Amino acid sequence: MSSETRSAAQQVLPAEQVESRLAAALPAWRLVDGSLRRTIQTSGWKSTLMVVNTIGHLAEAAWHHPELSVRYASVAISLASHDVQGVTERDLALAAQLEAVLMWRPGQAPGAALEGTPQEPRHAYIRYD
């Protein structure tokens, strides 16, 4: 597929634009070697598996799949559009969705109906930024 026939969402974005957008909206993400990268710290294996499954669900629903490196208490995410060998709007959109879902903290807003994970170590889940 030539660059003229690709949609705007499939065009490789200039590194400067990606860096600017990350700084403005996704500060925990970095541009490294032509891909968006982020590591989610968890409290252990069960939490790591929940994070991996959440990423898997969102990626499959979006039909855009990141590379994952899974460890006992962390998940490293790498997003790039392999078909065009770079970062596109699709990557930024999926990164934003992953960030919104994985870093959601119920109970943080005043009057929130959901209280969120208790602070006790036995209930630990994600280590929020």
Side-chain angles (χ1 to χ4, degrees):
M1 180 182 299
S2 72
S3 61
E4 296 82 34
T5 60
R6 287 191 184 109
S7 72
Q10 296 172 299
Q11 298 290 326
V12 174
L13 299 171
E16 305 79 36
Q17 182 180 354
V18 173
E19 294 279 5
S20 173
R21 301 225 350 235
L22 293 177
L26 296 164
W29 290 78
R30 300 286 176 254
L31 178 63
V32 179
D33 298 328
S35 67
L36 302 180
R37 306 241 177 125
R38 164 96 158 96
T39 299
I40 305 292
Q41 301 296 326
T42 72
S43 64
W45 185 242
K46 289 187 290 184
S47 298
T48 295
L49 292 176
M50 286 191 281
V51 167
V52 168
N53 285 325
T54 300
I55 294 168
H57 169 72
L58 294 172
E60 190 65 16
W63 201 246
H64 191 52
H65 306 95
E67 293 181 13
L68 304 178
S69 177
V70 180
R71 297 185 160 285
Y72 177 80
S74 67
V75 180
I77 307 163
S78 179
L79 270 168
S81 293
H82 301 290
D83 56 337
V84 294
Q85 299 179 0
V87 174
T88 67
E89 289 293 339
R90 295 177 296 176
D91 302 299
L92 288 166
L94 185 54
Q97 188 63 37
L98 292 170
E99 192 70 17
V101 172
L102 292 171
M103 291 296 116
W104 178 47
R105 295 189 72 181
Q108 296 299 305
L114 299 170
E115 62 187 66
T117 309
Q119 296 300 309
E120 302 160 30
R122 68 187 177 110
H123 297 296
Y125 180 43
I126 290 176
R127 296 184 183 174
Y128 296 99
D129 299 333

